[in-house]
Amino acid sequence: MKLQEYQAKDILRGYGVPVPNGKVCRTPDEVQAAAEAMGGRVVIKSQVLVGGRGKAGGVKVSRSADDARALGAKILGMDIKGLTVKEVLVEPALDIAEEIYVGIVTDRASRKNAVIVSAAGGIDIEQVAEQTPEKISKVWINPELGLRDFQIRQAGYGAGLSAPAMKALPKLLGGLYRAYIDRDANLIEINPMVVTSGGEVVAADAKMVIDDNATFRQADIEAPEDTEVDDPFEMEAKREGINYVRLGGDIGTIGNGAGLAMANLDEVKRVGGSPANFLDIGGGAKAESVENSLRLILSDPNVKGVMINIFGGITRADEVAKGIVQAKKNLDITVPLVVRLTGTNEEAGQKILSKAEGLIPASSMAEAAEKIVQAVEKG
Ligand code: GDP
Ligand code: MN
């Protein structure tokens, strides 16, 4: 679960990480009032769960409260990478002398958390890693020992940080690491960590991702309305609780169980087709979820045919068949549907399917894949 910047900053403040005192605003009036209280020169930051808001025009610095109002009016309602800005964070503007990068991530390869520091902050860290990898330092944290002081110095010197940044680093990284562990995060990224002309060090931006498997332990953190997914089909799937990944091809696939659903993709590929999606209806799926899955797949305009491959176990073939028939009735399906249905309650399922018109039956997975690819090629 990706958090909005203001949520991350609220959390980090509680761990002693210096963050500006900002205010979340939803209208230009609120922006103006907040700017007035902060002395007029403020930064107005769109709260959307995508990176590169600055480049997209979603982060602006005002000269006065009136100016802030105008900028607020511009940013609120703006579309940034498919997400509409509903809230902005207003903060006193910083006098930036230096921008550094500080992050903690779960490094799967080493099965440890890693601290990443770079003197080249404010820009995309991926870009820094590619073009000037020597400007990045990384240290791995032993989970039993935690983040040690010498590692903090190592990370800071390795990145070539300035004296004021070096001085602030222990408290800062200490706080970030405690927040990371306490709040079950798998990413915290401060980019930029700003060194002001007065030598203060402040987190100007904050990204935080909470492990989805731990959200029950972090019940006080509110799930943001918008998700980080920016594919509209995947967003819809998430809303409906469907296990769906969009792949960009033209043959829709449905399977039960992740293994079978992935095997579907392999089969379609093997016979020369291009899968439009991964979709797992899960164990014990009801007719309704079959219908919803079909509706979702067919809403993708690239889809020219759908292959349904169900191996009934806990999932009952008759229930799936009911869902397919229901979908046939309720949706305007103009593309070929190949159905392979076997396993628990197979006969009952086939009987239900035989009443529906226009379905292409298949008796094996390979046959299903061949038939759907042929049907799509024929148009
Ligand atoms: P991002 O583009 O989504 O990563 O948003 P950031 O919060 O990182 O803002 C982008 C850039 O705005 C920063 O890298 C700063 O260079 C610039 N900026 C200029 N003045 C300020 C300020 O007072 N506060 C903040 N947060 N950013 C500022
Ligand atoms: Mn940033």
Side-chain angles (χ1 to χ4, degrees):
M1 179 171 72
K2 206 171 187 176
L3 304 185
Q4 295 287 7
E5 175 187 1
Y6 70 86
Q7 292 179 293
K9 282 179 167 171
D10 282 346
I11 290 172
L12 295 177
R13 189 180 288 117
Y15 290 87
V17 176
V19 294
N21 280 314
K23 194 168 186 317
V24 178
C25 300
R26 302 189 73 113
T27 65
D29 281 347
E30 285 177 20
V31 174
Q32 183 173 24
E36 246 154 37
M38 293 174 195
R41 220 178 82 79
V42 294
V43 60
I44 300 144
K45 313 188 68 183
S46 53
Q47 298 297 289
V48 281
L49 298 175
V50 290
R53 294 165 303 165
K55 262 191 217 153
V59 178
K60 296 276 183 214
V61 180
S62 71
R63 280 156 296 166
S64 65
D66 286 338
D67 188 28
R69 184 180 213 292
L71 291 170
K74 213 173 185 182
I75 296 173
L76 284 161
M78 188 186 252
D79 179 284
I80 299 180
K81 299 180 185 171
L83 293 170
T84 308
V85 180
K86 294 177 204 130
E87 297 171 322
V88 293
L89 177 62
V90 178
E91 295 176 342
L94 298 164
D95 239 329
I96 301 177
E98 264 180 80
E99 294 184 290
I100 65 177
Y101 173 100
V102 181
I104 305 178
V105 292
T106 304
D107 178 32
R108 286 168 186 270
S110 63
R111 287 175 285 172
K112 288 193 174 95
N113 293 314
V115 166
I116 303 168
V117 179
S118 172
I123 50 173
D124 227 359
I125 194 70
E126 285 82 9
Q127 195 184 322
V128 180
E130 215 169 87
Q131 292 164 3
T132 47
E134 71 281 1
K135 287 189 179 163
I136 295 180
S137 72
K138 228 173 176 184
V139 299
W140 285 266
I141 308 166
N142 179 314
E144 286 184 56
L145 299 177
L147 179 61
R148 315 303 291 178
D149 288 346
F150 77 89
Q151 293 185 298
I152 295 175
R153 287 190 293 273
Q154 205 181 324
Y157 285 122
L161 296 192
S162 66
M166 253 342 263
K167 198 168 156 233
L169 202 61
K171 186 172 176 221
L172 213 154
L173 263 179
L176 289 183
Y177 184 65
R178 273 186 296 124
Y180 187 93
I181 297 297
D182 256 20
R183 308 318 304 246
D184 293 308
N186 48 36
L187 173 98
I188 296 185
E189 194 180 68
I190 309 298
N191 189 23
M193 182 68 77
V194 162
V195 182
T196 67
S197 44
E200 263 185 294
V201 176
V202 187
D205 191 8
K207 270 198 190 85
M208 191 163 177
V209 180
I210 307 294
D211 185 341
D212 283 327
N213 294 310
T215 46
F216 75 98
R217 296 206 293 205
Q218 305 295 343
D220 59 317
I221 303 177
E222 223 180 295
E225 260 177 58
D226 293 327
T227 55
E228 70 266 36
V229 188
D230 46 19
D231 181 282
F233 297 93
E234 291 186 4
M235 237 192 249
E236 182 59 26
K238 207 166 187 178
R239 261 195 293 274
E240 297 202 23
I242 299 173
N243 291 315
Y244 167 95
V245 180
R246 192 161 180 237
L247 299 170
D250 57 3
I251 295 179
T253 69
I254 294 181
N256 61 317
L260 186 59
M262 283 195 276
N264 281 344
L265 309 179
D266 289 344
E267 270 312 290
V268 169
K269 274 273 188 196
R270 192 182 62 80
V271 296
S274 172
N277 68 279
F278 163 95
L279 193 151
D280 165 20
I281 56 167
K286 294 281 172 233
E288 175 140 34
S289 54
V290 176
E291 182 183 344
N292 289 341
S293 297
L294 263 172
R295 179 181 298 113
L296 176 72
I297 289 177
L298 294 166
S299 68
D300 176 351
N302 292 339
V303 170
K304 297 201 186 84
V306 183
M307 159 181 167
I308 302 173
N309 179 22
I310 302 295
F311 194 99
I314 301 169
T315 305
R316 288 163 36 202
D318 56 328
E319 193 65 31
V320 172
K322 244 193 258 170
I324 296 170
V325 172
Q326 230 167 270
K328 272 293 245 180
K329 209 175 346 161
N330 298 338
L331 312 172
D332 178 31
I333 303 181
T334 54
V335 301
L337 272 189
V338 172
V339 184
R340 185 252 184 160
L341 197 54
T342 184
T344 310
N345 292 0
E346 184 177 334
E347 289 86 46
Q350 295 295 357
K351 210 166 175 184
I352 295 169
L353 282 186
S354 65
K355 287 182 202 135
E357 271 171 49
L359 296 174
I360 306 170
S363 54
S364 72
M365 170 150 79
E367 189 191 330
E370 276 157 22
K371 281 189 166 170
I372 192 63
V373 169
Q374 277 167 13
V376 166
E377 270 170 10
K378 261 193 249 153

